[in-house]
Amino acid sequence: MEYKEIAPGDSLKNYVKCFYIYESETNVSFVDKAFATGCIEIMFNLGDGKWQTEVNSNFITTPAIELWGQIIQPLTSKSLGKNTMFGIRFFPHTVSCFLNENIGQFNNRVSDFKDLMNKAAGLLHVKLLEATTLTKRIKIVEEFLLQRLSLSEKRLNRIQLIGNIINELKQDDFFDNIENVASRYGITSRYLQKIFLQYTGLTPKLFSKINRFQNSLLLVAKQNESL
């Protein structure tokens, strides 16, 4: 099994946290569990194997192009056969640049990206299957995302606002309340809550909890401390 992350180009670095490739060369199946990260991902199955996710105690085969919404509850997945998965990991608020949807509706599930993008997603998948190198695949995806980004100009100011608020919430010394945060940006706390949920699928409070959870995992991994 091999997993590798690749940084996006400068034109997408504010929108894409990373690209990644996962490859498994054996037919041995394994089960994994996904926990809350605060990020939303799109994954393209470019291999012969299958991925499944557990729904109501049953494993369901995922679509060829998977949109993973905010995983708030642990989600169990299974890899079957030789797999090659190419993924895009977005920042918590930036997938809304590329989807004309309310992000919260995708929480805790894996959706079919083709249902949201119609022919465009199918054509993109074909191009990725035909590409022979990781570099070519990244170029193809970046061109696709930049084209989608050009259609989102009306939302960019609100998305930037959410990004600024996220940066505040992620600070180690952040102890302010949401009313004061909203006031600093000249908006009401109700409006802040509304657009934060619309563009991230999370409330500011839940995002803060997930961020603390992820930071705790990093500390445990680095320092051998108990959770």
Side-chain angles (χ1 to χ4, degrees):
M1 183 180 74
E2 182 179 351
Y3 174 81
K4 180 181 180 182
E5 294 184 358
I6 306 96
D10 288 344
S11 55
L12 286 170
K13 66 181 181 181
N14 293 327
Y15 305 94
V16 175
K17 189 172 184 178
C18 70
F19 300 112
Y20 60 88
I21 188 80
Y22 162 82
E23 294 179 292
S24 174
E25 293 297 329
T26 69
N27 285 314
V28 177
S29 64
F30 75 91
V31 176
D32 196 11
K33 193 177 289 288
F35 295 92
T37 66
C39 295
I40 295 174
E41 303 184 11
I42 297 173
M43 287 183 274
F44 300 83
N45 190 338
L46 305 179
D48 298 324
K50 295 181 179 179
W51 279 93
Q52 297 181 333
T53 53
E54 188 176 21
V55 180
N56 297 325
S57 300
N58 295 312
F59 279 96
I60 308 297
T61 299
T62 57
I65 312 177
E66 309 171 12
L67 171 66
W68 282 60
Q70 294 284 2
I71 303 303
I72 301 169
Q73 301 295 327
L75 180 63
T76 302
S77 63
K78 182 189 294 184
S79 172
L80 301 171
K82 296 180 180 181
N83 270 306
T84 298
M85 303 294 290
F86 178 84
I88 312 167
R89 182 171 298 129
F90 296 93
F91 292 108
H93 59 299
T94 54
V95 75
S96 51
C97 296
F98 310 100
L99 292 175
N100 298 319
E101 305 287 346
N102 186 338
I103 302 305
Q105 69 180 296
F106 305 117
N107 286 5
N108 285 321
R109 64 190 180 99
V110 178
S111 303
D112 191 337
F113 190 59
K114 286 184 179 180
D115 289 344
L116 306 174
M117 301 295 294
N118 299 319
K119 292 182 179 179
L123 291 173
L124 176 60
H125 193 208
V126 170
K127 290 181 180 179
L128 290 174
L129 286 168
E130 292 175 346
T132 55
T133 67
L134 178 58
T135 300
K136 289 180 180 179
R137 286 170 174 168
I138 290 173
K139 182 180 179 181
I140 290 168
V141 168
E142 286 195 329
E143 288 175 351
F144 173 82
L145 292 177
L146 287 171
Q147 192 275 331
R148 294 292 303 177
L149 188 61
S150 68
L151 304 175
S152 303
E153 291 184 3
K154 294 181 179 179
R155 282 174 281 171
L156 292 183
N157 286 338
R158 278 174 288 177
I159 289 168
Q160 184 177 2
L161 170 64
I162 297 299
N164 291 338
I165 294 169
I166 282 176
N167 288 334
E168 283 201 41
L169 297 178
K170 290 174 69 175
Q171 298 302 312
D172 291 339
D173 58 352
F174 179 82
F175 292 105
D176 211 344
N177 60 54
I178 206 66
E179 287 77 15
N180 289 340
V181 173
S183 178
R184 284 198 290 275
Y185 291 95
I187 57 177
T188 66
S189 60
R190 182 176 180 180
Y191 179 69
L192 188 158
Q193 298 264 7
K194 176 183 176 181
I195 62 173
F196 201 99
L197 183 61
Q198 178 182 352
Y199 286 101
T200 70
L202 305 169
T203 64
K205 183 177 181 179
L206 183 53
F207 170 80
S208 295
K209 287 184 176 180
I210 292 173
N211 183 61
R212 288 198 301 272
F213 169 68
Q214 286 293 321
N215 285 338
S216 297
L217 293 182
L218 290 174
L219 289 172
V220 169
K222 289 180 179 179
Q223 301 179 17
N224 262 337
E225 294 183 0
S226 68
L227 191 56

